[in-house]
Amino acid sequence: MVEPGAPAPASDAPVLDVRGVGKRFGARYVVSDLTLALHPGEVLGFVGPNGAGKTTSLRILAGLLKADQGAGQVLGRDLMGDRRAVAASVGYMPQRLALYGELTVAENLRFRADVYGLASPRAAVEAAIDDFDLGPYRKLKAGRLSGGWARRLQLAAALIHRPSLVLLDEPTAGLDAESKQDVWRRILEIAHDGGSVVINTHDLAEAERCTTVALFSAGRVLARGDPARLVLHAPFEAMVIAGGDVRALLARFETAPGVIAASPEGHGLRLLVRPGAGEAIRAEAAAVGARAEDTRKRLEDAAFVLVHDPEAKSWTLD
């Protein structure tokens, strides 16, 4: 998945390596001390609440937005001094559709091939149309495509120059289950072929499919690591309480000592609790005729705890 004519990074070298990158708007930092490395074959997921700095970080890494501080390289190009070369080397797909509605599918792809200066733009367009099953729509104006097919066209345009690093901002937002699976199949194919992907997502179940996740909050990466390992070592436990009125259980346990969060789930109550609090919660549940059991922790739980529990602020995993 290497851009024709561009040197590929050495197989043991990171395709992306940035340190201390920051961006402010006015007096407020929206990204602070972004430090990341990404190697061939990896899929890195940016997760966190709205306003956490994920999209700004992605636009910086794509060479579209100038950072105010820091250093690093993307595909061997200087992120701070050669943003134009960075932008021409990566494949970037924004969350909002970036297509020309009055141009046909084929014309949109041809325009993107020309922008990247491909030696054989016609062949690149035909390959993209074939790879993304766009043949029946090649003469249809992009503005008339359904949401799923428009996203497919946008992804095809982002990949037409065969980049070895792909940056995707919420690529499955608003798609049906089948279209989401198609996007993820392509993401995993890129990684399998030796490319690398950075993806912004609000879907924590999707983030669990990444090889690495970075949990963002207030412009900072608070934790980074393999999703399963990150959840395993996160400083909390998950429990489910069943056997009583859910509203009464919620009122009783949401402010109980050691409880970080409580929320109804099915016919029971799901709790996120600090380590060591489980025994007291089991006893309290039994006292009201309910039962409390341990349950599987989730990545979305870890993200919530890391952002909202003051006692977890010092937790790091890298």
Side-chain angles (χ1 to χ4, degrees), residues 15-315:
V15 296
L16 182 158
D17 187 7
V18 298
R19 302 170 301 282
V21 169
K23 178 66 181 177
R24 64 178 182 271
F25 293 119
R28 184 175 71 91
Y29 271 92
V30 293
V31 175
S32 179
D33 193 25
L34 179 67
T35 299
L36 294 169
L38 186 68
H39 291 80
E42 290 187 325
V43 179
L44 170 61
F46 285 176
V47 298
N50 289 333
K54 306 185 304 299
T55 291
T56 300
S57 296
L58 206 66
R59 287 176 56 80
I60 291 172
L61 297 178
L64 301 176
L65 192 62
K66 183 179 180 180
D68 294 313
Q69 65 186 42
Q73 62 82 22
V74 177
L75 294 175
R77 280 83 171 178
D78 182 6
L79 180 63
M80 303 298 287
D82 203 2
R83 290 190 299 118
R84 181 171 295 182
V86 170
S89 301
V90 305
Y92 172 69
M93 188 173 85
Q95 181 178 1
R96 291 187 177 183
L97 292 178
L99 301 170
Y100 289 98
E102 293 304 309
L103 297 183
T104 67
V105 166
E107 289 168 343
N108 268 280
L109 292 172
R110 178 58 187 257
F111 172 79
R112 191 64 65 90
D114 289 340
V115 166
Y116 286 118
L118 300 186
S120 302
R122 180 177 298 179
V125 169
E126 293 305 317
I129 288 175
D130 182 63
D131 186 33
F132 283 83
D133 301 319
L134 291 165
Y137 307 100
R138 64 180 301 133
K139 295 183 179 181
L140 186 68
K141 290 184 178 180
R144 296 183 60 191
L145 292 171
S146 67
W149 283 103
R151 295 298 275 177
R152 182 176 294 206
L153 172 58
Q154 184 155 335
L155 184 57
L159 301 180
I160 198 166
H161 59 308
R162 301 179 62 80
S164 56
L165 174 62
V166 181
L167 310 173
L168 306 174
D169 196 353
E170 298 286 353
T172 64
L175 298 184
D176 59 31
E178 184 177 352
S179 297
K180 287 184 178 182
Q181 288 298 321
D182 181 70
V183 170
W184 269 99
R185 176 179 65 81
R186 295 177 189 280
I187 289 172
L188 298 178
E189 283 178 353
I190 291 168
H192 182 267
D193 291 342
S196 304
V197 181
V198 182
I199 175 175
N200 275 355
T201 180
H202 283 93
D203 190 328
L204 277 297
E206 283 194 347
E208 291 180 343
R209 304 176 71 167
C210 299
T211 58
T212 307
V213 295
L215 300 182
F216 277 72
S217 177
R220 293 182 177 272
V221 175
L222 299 184
R224 180 180 183 274
D226 169 85
R229 182 167 171 263
L230 193 151
V231 171
L232 178 65
H233 293 282
F236 72 96
E237 302 299 331
M239 305 182 73
V240 171
I241 300 179
D245 178 77
V246 174
R247 288 181 295 180
L249 291 173
L250 179 61
R252 188 179 190 95
F253 284 97
E254 65 180 343
T255 58
V259 173
I260 303 168
S263 58
E265 184 172 273
H267 297 293
L269 187 69
R270 194 167 194 274
L271 303 181
L272 306 181
V273 304
R274 297 190 180 100
E279 184 175 350
I281 289 172
R282 289 187 187 89
E284 181 74 8
V288 296
R291 62 184 184 279
E293 301 176 349
D294 292 336
T295 189
R296 184 180 71 88
K297 297 191 291 186
R298 304 167 182 162
L299 183 60
E300 62 185 286
D301 300 332
F304 181 90
V305 169
L306 192 60
V307 171
H308 296 284
D309 184 18
E311 295 188 17
K313 295 299 184 184
S314 62
W315 168 54

